[in-house]
Amino acid sequence: MISYILKKLRYLKLLNVNYADDQKKQGTSEYGQSTPIKLSQSLEKNLIAIRNLIGNNFDVIIREFSFGDHINVALIFLSGMTDQSMINENIMKPLMSESHSSQNETLKIKDIAQIKARILSVGGVNQYSSYDEIIDGCLSGQSILLLDECNEALAIMTTNWKSRAVEEPKTESVVRGPREGFTESLLTNTTLIRRKIMSPDLKIESMKLGSRTKTNVCIAYIQGIANPLLIEEIKRRLNRIKTDSILESGYVEQFIEDAPFSIFSTVANSEKPDAVAAKILEGRAAILVDGTPFVLSVPMVLIESFQSSEDYYSRPFFASLIRSIRFLAYFISIFAPSSYVALTTFHQELIPTPLLFSMAGAQEGVPFPAVMEAIMMGIIFEILREAGVRLPRPVGQAVSIVGALVIGESAVTAGLIGAPMVIVVALTAVSSFVVSAQSDSGGVLRITFVILAGFIGIYGIVIGQLGVFIHLASLRSFGTPYLSPLAPLSIRDLKDTIIRAPIWAMFTRPRTIGWHDPERQEFRLKPSSPSEETKEQNKAVR
Amino acid sequence: MKRISFCTFRCLIICLILILGTTGCWNRRELNSLAITMGAGIDKLEDEDVTDQLQLTVQIVKTSEIKVGDKGNSSADAFWNARNTGKSLFEVIRGFTHQSSRKLYWPHNQVIIFGRSLAEAGIREHIDFFVRDQETRLGVWILVAEDQASDIFEVKPNLERIPAIGLANLLKAQKASSQTTAIKLDEFATRLMSKTTAPIAAFVKISGQGSKKSLLVTGTAVFKQDKLVGELNKTETRGLLWVLNKVKSGIIDVVSPESNGKVSLEIIRAKSKITPEIIEDKVHMKVDIKEEGNIGSQSCTDDLENRQTIKKLEDEKNAAIESEVKAALSKAQKLNADIFGFGDVVHQKFPKEWKELESRWDEIFPDLEVEVTVEGKIRRSGSSKKAVAPAKE
C-alpha cells in the first residue's frame, strides 16, 4: 500500500514538472498565434467562413436580407440565447423601414459606424473585425450584423435566455433577513451584490476561464477596503487556471485553494447576497462564477463557518447564545461517538455509577464491540443521508422512514445495537447539520476519532485533537491565518467570534482580513437617552 | 509536502503504523465483559480447622436484570453475592476467576465492610490492596459489621435494588443527624498511617427478623492502631464529630426554660477549632465550638419569643453540646484511643516537643485535660413565631 501511495506521489510530482514545461511552451505558442484572422470585404466570403465554423448547428440562425439601396446584410444569432422581439423591433424594423420611408440620404449608408450611430436602437453595440471575436460574441448571445463590402461587423447585445428567478436559497434559510439568493445567471448575481453596495468603489472585474466552456468569472471587491495584494494574488491564481471547463465555482475553488490536501476548505462559499456583501465590506473578495448560485469568498477563516448572516440581524444576546451553541454542536458532532466508544471500552470508571448500570444493561447481549457499532451506525447514517438528499422528496421521505424504523427501533429490539449508541449517533447526526459549512470536515474527523478511540481510548482522541490543532494552526487562506483571530490572537477581533458584539460596538473591520480603511463607523454610536442640551432644546421647541 | 523526501515520508508512515500496533488494545474491555463490583465484605472464618480463614464476599451487579425498559417488574435480584476464601486478599480476589465468568471491576465499588472478628484481629493487611491497586478508589465508604460482613449484603434494601448502593446512600444521608461516623477510605487510611490518631468507621447492624430485616447505620467503631477496641453510641459520636468539625446538621433537644416541655433545636452550621497548649510540660487542649441553629419545633406551649428565653435556650444548648463532647472524650480516654487526632494537632503546633511526647502519648492521652468552650446561637424560629396554642394571658 505504501509503495502504491509513493508511486502516486511521484506521479503527481512528475505532472507538476511537466506542467511547468508545458506552460513555458504554451506561453510562446500563444504569442505566435495571437494575430487573429480578419474579416474580409466580401459578405459572401465572410458567411462561408462563419458557416464553416458554426453554421451546422441547429440553433444558429443566419438571416440574409437587404435594405435601402440593395445593401446586403446578414444577421447571425443563436435562437435560444437571444431576445427575438428585440431583434425584430430594434434591429430588423429600423433597418428595413428606415430605408424604405426616407429614401434620401440613408440609402447611401454603406458605413457600418453610421448604422450603429443612427439606426440601431439598442444599448450595447460593439464593433468587431476578427472572426474570433464574432464567434465568441455570437456564442454568448449577441447578434452579429455583417455588412457587404465592409470588413467590420456589429455585435448587438441581445442576450436573453431563460433563467431561474431569484428565489430563497435552499442551503441557508433564515428567519430574519433577506430571503433572496443568488441564481445561475452571473449578471443577476452581480446585480444582487451591486444593489446591496451602491458605491462606486465596488469593483467587479471579469475574466473568462475554461478554453471550451469560456465561463465568465468575476472578482468583486471594494477598492480601498480590500487589500490590493489580495486582489493581485486572486488574479494570479485565477490566471493560472488552464483548463477546458469550469462548470461550477467548485472547479475554481479547487484550483485556487491554499491547502488542496487539507480536509478543511480554505475558500468559503455562500448563496446569499447579503452574506457575500458583508464579507466584501469586511475586506474580502468574492469570486462569482457564471452558472452557479454559489459565490466564493476569500480569505476564509475557521470562525466564518460558525457565523450566520442572521446573527447580525438579531440582537446580540441571543446571537451570542446561538453562536456558542453552534460551537457546542460542532464539538458534539465530532467527539460524541468517539467519546462514547472511549468511555465504554477503556474508561468505564469515568461514567457515573447509575449511568454505567443502564449503559451496561443496554449493552447486555449486544454482539458487536462498541467501535464496530459506532462505525456501522455512522456509515448507515451517511448512506441514509445520501439517499435522502439525492432522491426526489416523496421517495426521500420513504427512505428516511424506513431508515429511522430499522435503525431506531428494530436494531435495538433485535439486540443488534445498544440503545445508548443509537442516541449518540442521532445526537451526532443532528448536531452535524448545525454547522453545515464544516460538515464535510466534521464527517472525516468523526470517523478518524472513532477509530483512534477504538484503539487507545481518550488518549487517542487527545492525540488526534492535537494533530488537528497543529494542522489548523498551520493553515493559511490567501495569507490570512486560518485560526485567526484566535491564533494568532487579535483581541480587537474577538468581538465577532464566540460572542457577537452589538453592531455599534463593532467599529473596526477584522484586522486579519485586510486592515485597509479599518474604521467602519464612528466610535460613539451606542444609543443613549438624550443629553441635557437636547432635552432643553426640545422644551424650547414645545 | 514537497520538502519532505520520500525516505522520511516512508519512515513516518511506518512509525505511525507501528505506534498503533504497540499500544494496541491493552485494556480494552467491553461493558458486557465486566463484573461491576458494588461492595466488598471481608470476614474471618471462626472455624479453627479451616486453613483459608479469609473470606471475601463481593456484590456484583447483574446488569442484565437492570436492563432499561423493563420497568422494575422483575422480581429477580439485581445482584449476585459471590464468596471466595483464601489466605491473602489479593489471592482471594483473583480466585474469583474460578467462579465468575467476568473479571471483577472495582472502580465503582461503594462500600468495604469488615466483619467484627476480623476487625478485632486487625485490618492493616487487608486495607493495603484497596489503597495500592489502580482500579480501586479511595472514595469508598468503610464500615464495620456488628457480626459477619457477608450477612450485610444479603439484606435487601427497601428503596434501592442493590444493597451496597442502599448502604452507600444511607451513609450519605447521615449528615442530616450527625450521629454516625461516615468515613471514606482515604481518611481511614490516613488515620491508620498516623502514629497516634485512632481510625474510626461507621457501624452497620441488621435489625429485625426474617423478611423484615433492614440495615441500620449508627454509632462509631473505634480502632486502636488497626484493631477494633470499642464503639461510641449516637451521642458520643456527635461529641466526636463536634470536635472533628464534621457536624453538618442535626437536632438537639433541650428543656424549655418556662415549663418542662421539650424544644428541638436544629443545627444549621457549626465550626470547631482545636488549640493545643503546653503549660509547664503538660499538654492542654482547647476546643472551641461555634454553632448556629434555629428553633425546629417545640412540644410545649411556652412563648419563646423574647430575648431572655432565647438566651436561656442558648445556654442549655451549649451545655448539651459540651456534655456530648465530654461523653465522647471520656469514652475515648477510657479506650485510650485518640480518635480526635489531638496527637497530630500537637505535632503540628509543637514539632520539637512532639519528639519527646510521641512515645509517651499513650500515657498522656487518658489523662489529657481538655477545655471545651461552646458558643451556640439561635438565629431564627422557622415560619411561625408562636406555638400552636391559644395565647397565654
Side-chain angles (χ1 to χ4, degrees):
Chain A
M1 200 190 82
I2 299 167
S3 65
Y4 174 75
I5 294 172
L6 287 177
K7 233 188 223 169
K8 275 273 166 197
L9 279 171
R10 259 188 220 128
Y11 173 68
L12 281 175
K13 208 173 171 185
L14 212 69
L15 272 187
N16 242 358
V17 173
N18 284 357
Y19 177 72
D21 288 353
D22 280 0
Q23 221 173 11
K24 273 181 211 157
K25 275 179 210 160
Q26 265 187 6
T28 51
S29 62
E30 248 175 32
Y31 281 112
Q33 272 188 357
S34 64
T35 45
I37 307 163
K38 295 275 184 196
L39 286 173
S40 78
Q41 287 280 346
S42 155
L43 177 66
E44 222 167 301
K45 273 189 184 168
N46 285 339
L47 283 179
I48 289 168
I50 288 171
R51 277 211 177 89
N52 281 340
L53 284 167
I54 54 169
N56 52 354
N57 288 312
F58 94 102
D59 56 347
V60 175
I61 292 170
I62 300 177
R63 169 82 156 84
E64 288 175 79
F65 60 100
S66 60
F67 72 97
D69 196 12
H70 298 283
I71 308 163
N72 287 327
V73 288
L75 193 65
I76 308 158
F77 58 90
L78 290 177
S79 61
M81 289 173 73
T82 47
D83 188 345
Q84 300 287 335
S85 66
M86 197 171 165
I87 291 173
N88 295 342
E89 291 293 317
N90 301 7
I91 302 172
M92 303 286 283
K93 208 172 171 186
L95 276 175
M96 290 175 141
S97 57
E98 191 96 340
S99 53
H100 284 294
S101 59
S102 53
Q103 287 198 342
N104 34 36
E105 51 171 332
T106 41
L107 287 178
K108 288 155 200 160
I109 289 172
K110 280 258 169 181
D111 189 6
I112 202 153
Q114 279 201 351
I115 297 180
K116 179 182 167 187
R118 300 182 58 180
I119 297 178
L120 294 177
S121 52
V122 182
V125 180
N126 288 325
Q127 228 164 313
Y128 290 148
S129 60
S130 75
Y131 283 114
D132 285 354
E133 286 169 326
I134 288 175
I135 301 293
D136 277 0
C138 183
L139 289 177
S140 62
Q142 298 169 356
S143 302
I144 308 296
L145 190 70
L146 286 170
L147 208 67
D148 201 10
E149 291 173 40
C150 177
N151 60 355
E152 280 185 303
L154 288 182
I156 308 152
M157 288 290 195
T158 50
T159 316
N160 184 25
W161 60 82
K162 291 276 171 290
S163 71
R164 198 162 58 93
V166 176
E167 289 168 11
E168 188 172 355
K170 289 260 160 56
T171 52
E172 296 158 84
S173 17
V174 289
V175 179
R176 180 172 178 178
R179 301 200 199 288
E180 58 189 10
F182 287 121
T183 68
E184 281 75 10
S185 147
L186 182 66
L187 212 58
T188 318
N189 294 353
T190 52
T191 317
L192 284 170
I193 292 178
R194 183 75 81 183
R195 261 180 48 203
K196 298 270 175 204
I197 309 167
M198 293 185 191
S199 155
D201 288 337
L202 174 67
K203 304 288 175 204
I204 301 180
E205 292 181 20
S206 156
M207 60 171 70
K208 271 194 164 54
L209 289 182
S211 59
R212 284 190 200 282
T213 57
K214 300 209 189 334
T215 314
N216 265 316
V217 175
C218 289
I219 312 167
Y221 61 95
I222 293 182
Q223 205 169 34
I225 296 179
N227 190 341
L229 291 172
L230 169 72
I231 306 300
E232 215 169 275
E233 176 65 19
I234 294 171
K235 281 182 194 159
R236 193 186 66 76
R237 291 195 194 177
L238 285 178
N239 283 325
R240 234 192 92 245
I241 303 175
K242 298 275 189 295
T243 176
D244 68 336
S245 58
I246 297 287
L247 294 179
E248 214 265 350
S249 52
Y251 282 49
V252 177
E253 180 184 338
Q254 286 167 55
F255 278 120
I256 65 169
E257 66 188 341
D258 288 69
F261 286 116
S262 171
I263 53 168
F264 295 95
S265 66
T266 48
V267 178
N269 63 66
S270 175
E271 242 189 305
K272 284 177 66 63
D274 55 326
V276 171
K279 282 175 184 176
I280 291 175
L281 283 167
E282 278 185 344
R284 292 188 174 88
I287 301 168
L288 297 92
V289 178
D290 198 9
T292 175
F294 287 93
V295 172
L296 308 177
S297 66
V298 286
M300 182 203 184
V301 291
L302 185 67
I303 292 291
E304 254 175 82
S305 318
F306 299 91
Q307 297 167 337
S308 137
S309 61
E310 208 178 342
D311 291 353
Y312 303 93
Y313 308 145
S314 49
R315 300 191 59 241
F317 305 102
F318 186 65
S320 304
L321 177 71
I322 290 293
R323 278 269 171 90
S324 35
I325 285 177
R326 263 183 226 134
F327 277 95
L328 180 72
Y330 184 60
F331 281 105
I332 287 177
S333 77
I334 290 176
F335 291 116
S338 48
S339 308
Y340 179 80
V341 167
L343 284 181
T344 51
T345 47
F346 290 96
H347 317 283
Q348 294 93 347
E349 66 270 16
L350 290 179
I351 309 171
T353 312
L355 182 63
L356 177 72
F357 287 166
S358 48
M359 269 158 69
Q363 205 70 16
E364 207 62 47
V366 171
F368 305 110
V371 201
M372 282 301 295
E373 270 187 287
I375 293 175
M376 267 162 44
M377 290 293 286
I379 290 171
I380 290 171
F381 166 69
E382 291 296 330
I383 291 172
L384 277 175
R385 196 176 66 103
E386 195 59 21
V389 169
R390 304 281 167 252
L391 282 173
R393 189 154 284 182
V395 191
Q397 273 173 357
V399 167
S400 51
I401 288 167
V402 168
L405 273 181
V406 168
I407 295 172
E409 276 299 312
S410 317
V412 176
T413 38
L416 291 177
I417 275 160
M421 180 55 87
V422 176
I423 296 168
V424 168
V425 169
L427 180 71
T428 310
V430 173
S431 305
S432 69
F433 293 128
V434 174
V435 184
S436 53
Q438 289 293 346
S439 64
D440 49 348
S441 71
V444 178
L445 289 180
R446 184 155 61 234
I447 290 284
T448 320
F449 282 138
V450 166
I451 292 169
L452 278 174
F455 269 116
I456 39 180
I458 284 184
Y459 183 56
I461 300 179
V462 171
I463 287 179
Q465 209 175 339
L466 209 63
V468 170
F469 274 128
I470 291 171
H471 172 63
L472 278 175
S474 75
L475 275 185
R476 295 273 185 289
S477 170
F478 285 81
T480 301
Y482 199 54
L483 279 183
S484 69
L486 301 172
L489 184 67
S490 161
I491 292 170
R492 206 185 285 225
D493 289 356
L494 289 181
K495 59 184 183 280
D496 194 16
T497 49
I498 297 171
I499 285 173
R500 202 278 283 167
I503 297 289
W504 46 260
M506 296 201 272
F507 42 81
T508 53
R509 289 173 224 287
R511 73 186 304 168
T512 37
I513 307 291
W515 205 237
H516 283 260
D517 185 18
E519 203 160 296
R520 222 195 256 263
Q521 63 206 14
E522 266 182 45
F523 186 67
R524 290 183 193 84
L525 282 180
K526 188 181 138 207
S528 56
S529 52
S531 65
E532 287 302 314
E533 275 176 45
T534 48
K535 266 183 198 168
E536 262 158 44
Q537 275 174 13
N538 285 351
K539 259 183 207 164
V541 168
R542 258 180 231 152
Chain B
M1 269 307 255
K2 274 175 206 161
R3 302 251 167 84
I4 303 170
S5 72
F6 286 108
C7 185
T8 341
F9 189 67
R10 189 180 298 181
C11 284
L12 217 73
I13 287 186
I14 290 170
C15 285
L16 277 175
I17 290 169
L18 282 180
I19 283 170
L20 283 181
T22 48
T23 49
C25 325
W26 53 271
N27 62 354
R28 198 177 142 266
R29 282 170 300 191
E30 291 296 323
L31 279 183
N32 48 17
S33 69
L34 303 177
I36 305 165
T37 313
M38 295 315 296
I42 310 167
D43 286 309
K44 190 181 168 197
L45 292 182
E46 299 295 332
D47 215 336
E48 290 294 322
D49 313 332
V50 190
T51 48
D52 296 345
Q53 287 204 326
L54 190 69
Q55 179 187 271
L56 179 69
T57 314
V58 288
Q59 185 154 70
I60 297 165
V61 180
K62 280 190 194 167
T63 43
S64 53
E65 291 296 332
I66 317 190
K67 207 162 188 172
V68 205
D70 309 350
K71 287 188 180 139
N73 54 359
S74 56
S75 54
D77 287 345
F79 58 89
W80 170 44
N81 292 337
R83 251 180 223 135
N84 193 24
T85 53
K87 286 191 194 73
S88 79
L89 191 68
F90 203 20
E91 181 213 330
V92 179
I93 287 169
R94 272 297 150 85
F96 275 107
T97 47
H98 295 296
Q99 45 176 314
S100 166
S101 59
R102 300 175 180 185
K103 199 166 165 276
L104 295 190
Y105 188 66
W106 287 98
H108 288 272
N109 190 19
Q110 304 283 319
V111 288
I112 298 170
I113 306 175
F114 293 107
R116 181 158 203 141
S117 49
L118 182 103
E120 277 163 358
I123 51 157
R124 201 184 297 277
E125 52 186 305
H126 310 306
I127 279 286
D128 188 79
F129 168 79
F130 293 105
V131 177
R132 190 184 299 273
D133 195 78
Q134 69 267 39
E135 256 194 22
T136 53
R137 285 188 175 176
L138 293 175
V140 50
W141 300 105
I142 302 287
L143 295 120
V144 174
E146 202 184 27
D147 191 26
Q148 289 282 304
S150 57
D151 302 337
I152 303 290
F153 287 131
E154 301 295 341
V155 182
K156 275 192 217 168
N158 293 319
L159 298 175
E160 315 286 337
R161 291 201 71 187
I162 295 154
I165 289 184
L167 201 53
N169 290 346
L170 201 57
L171 280 167
K172 273 181 214 156
Q174 289 309 309
K175 62 169 180 250
S177 67
S178 300
Q179 286 180 328
T180 308
T181 313
I183 194 170
K184 293 191 168 175
L185 177 60
D186 49 356
E187 202 193 331
F188 190 81
T190 315
R191 279 169 172 263
L192 207 54
M193 283 154 88
S194 162
K195 276 181 181 153
T196 53
T197 309
I200 45 174
F203 241 115
V204 57
K205 290 175 194 164
I206 298 171
S207 72
Q209 287 293 318
S211 61
K212 286 191 176 171
K213 269 185 191 171
S214 70
L215 290 182
L216 200 67
V217 177
T218 175
T220 304
V222 178
F223 289 78
K224 175 84 185 164
Q225 299 298 342
D226 68 329
K227 292 183 177 64
L228 182 71
V229 287
E231 62 180 285
L232 304 185
N233 63 19
K234 282 184 190 173
T235 328
E236 291 159 354
T237 301
R238 191 151 74 192
L240 167 68
L241 295 180
W242 283 119
V243 180
L244 293 180
N245 199 6
K246 274 188 175 174
V247 173
K248 298 280 178 220
S249 181
I251 306 298
I252 304 170
D253 273 357
V254 291
V255 180
S256 165
E258 309 285 321
S259 65
N260 278 333
K262 284 268 173 64
V263 178
S264 300
L265 302 171
E266 189 187 358
I267 304 162
I268 297 299
R269 58 184 80 84
K271 224 173 147 183
S272 75
K273 203 182 161 203
I274 308 169
T275 354
E277 273 174 355
I278 298 182
I279 304 163
E280 296 165 2
D281 284 354
K282 222 171 163 235
V283 185
H284 295 267
M285 305 301 295
K286 269 168 99 177
V287 178
D288 292 304
I289 298 169
K290 283 195 177 123
E291 190 264 0
E292 281 176 44
N294 298 341
I295 299 175
S297 77
Q298 63 181 98
S299 62
C300 52
T301 56
D302 304 337
D303 182 16
L304 301 175
E305 277 301 308
N306 61 64
R307 253 164 223 277
Q308 283 78 30
T309 328
I310 295 286
K311 185 85 192 68
K312 279 178 197 158
L313 278 175
E314 280 175 353
D315 289 344
E316 279 188 56
K317 180 161 80 170
N318 292 349
I321 293 172
E322 198 181 328
S323 77
E324 281 178 359
V325 175
K326 288 273 195 248
L329 189 68
S330 66
K331 186 67 162 281
Q333 285 178 332
K334 213 169 81 194
L335 296 170
N336 196 5
D338 182 7
I339 49 178
F340 304 100
F342 286 148
D344 285 341
V345 179
V346 176
H347 186 182
Q348 278 166 22
K349 186 88 186 270
F350 306 104
K352 278 182 197 155
E353 290 85 341
W354 179 248
K355 275 177 195 158
E356 183 260 334
L357 288 172
E358 191 182 329
S359 52
R360 295 197 290 121
W361 190 250
D362 271 355
E363 292 137 44
I364 296 170
F365 182 73
D367 304 317
L368 191 69
E369 267 180 45
V370 179
E371 189 192 330
V372 183
T373 46
V374 185
E375 198 184 312
K377 291 269 189 300
I378 293 174
R379 297 292 188 200
R380 278 163 283 271
S381 64
S383 313
S384 71
K385 281 185 170 182
K386 303 263 189 305
V388 191
K392 278 180 189 170
E393 293 305 314

